[in-house]
Every structure is written in structure tokens, then in C-alpha cells.
Amino acid sequence: MEENRLTQLSDPIFGELAWDESKGAWLGSVPFAKRTVQIILRATTREPTPEEHLALVAHARKQFVKLQQREPELRQKAATSREKSAKAHMGTDARLPWKKWAKGPELESISLYGCGELRYRNFLLIQTRVTICFDEELKFESFQEHLAGIGA
């Protein structure tokens, strides 16, 4: 079976992808919103067959194309969610820069595995990252902040 394993793929959307056995994912770099970001296509089975690999990439390709249109909306929903949460803790008069954040955070990576995640560098709080999670239909699910290097 070892000789039938895929370790490299060339894709019309994702370019060159390499299989990372330890992560159970295809890794590469892809242009997205005027930047080059890391792309992570996670398998949902432990040892996917070549056919499962190809199906995974084909499905992720469709999601990626849609995500290019939906990403600004997901960013805005995350900023609104974060601002509501902060105001609940700090009071409704708090002036928070999350709407400014929604206009242009620095996207670092996209992870797709049926649902997915967008990971950004957070310029509002140094040393933190922001993750936006979305479902299979690319609808906003949650917003998370974490220290750089933790939860990555």
C-alpha cells in the first residue's frame, strides 16, 4: 500500500501541495485577497486512499472558490461578535476598534476540512492570533483569540 500513497499534488487552484503525514493534511501556499497564505486541507480519515485524497482536494477547491467571496462577511461577523462580547464585559460605552479590525486583518492561513478556519495576525493585541471558524456552508460559527504559538 505504501507505493500507492500520494505525497505530492499539483492542483489548478491550490498549486503544489505536499502531504504532511503528522498533520494528516495537504499543505501549500495560495494567493488569497492580494496575499499569499498557507493552505491546509485536512483529511477526515486516518489513512486516506488516493481516491479519498483527490475527493478531499476537489471538495476543498469548491469551498475555497466560495470562501474568496464570503471571507469579508465572515470577518465582519467575527468583529461584531467580538465587539458584543467585549462590551458585555466592559460596558456598552466602551469604544472598541473591532470594526477597524474587520477592514483589513492580516490573514495567515486557511484550513479546510469540511468546515474550516481562517487564522489572522491580530494587529490590535500584539502576540495574539484570531481564528474565525465556519461551517460547511461557510457560515460563521465562532471567533477565538489566542496567544501566538498557542492553539496554533
Side-chain angles (χ1 to χ4, degrees), residues 20-66:
D20 185 316
E21 189 73 37
S22 67
K23 293 183 179 177
W26 289 99
L27 305 178
S29 297
V30 65
F32 190 90
K34 301 178 185 177
R35 296 184 45 83
T36 299
V37 300
Q38 180 183 33
I39 187 79
I40 305 160
L41 309 178
R42 296 194 191 280
T44 56
T45 59
R46 189 166 166 80
E47 292 186 26
T49 65
E51 294 78 17
E52 289 171 326
H53 281 296
L54 297 175
L56 162 77
V57 174
H59 179 72
R61 191 181 307 123
K62 291 175 189 174
Q63 277 191 303
F64 181 80
V65 170
K66 292 176 187 174

Side-chain angles (χ1 to χ4, degrees), residues 98 101 105-106 120-130 143 145:
W98 287 99
W101 177 86
E106 189 175 332
Y120 300 88
R121 180 171 295 132
N122 184 358
F123 66 80
L124 297 177
L125 298 170
I126 297 174
Q127 303 275 329
T128 65
R129 299 293 186 261
V130 171
F143 172 92
E145 292 176 272

Side-chain angles (χ1 to χ4, degrees), residues 54 75 83 112 145:
L54 297 175
R75 217 178 332 116
E83 190 162 358
L112 298 172
E145 292 176 272

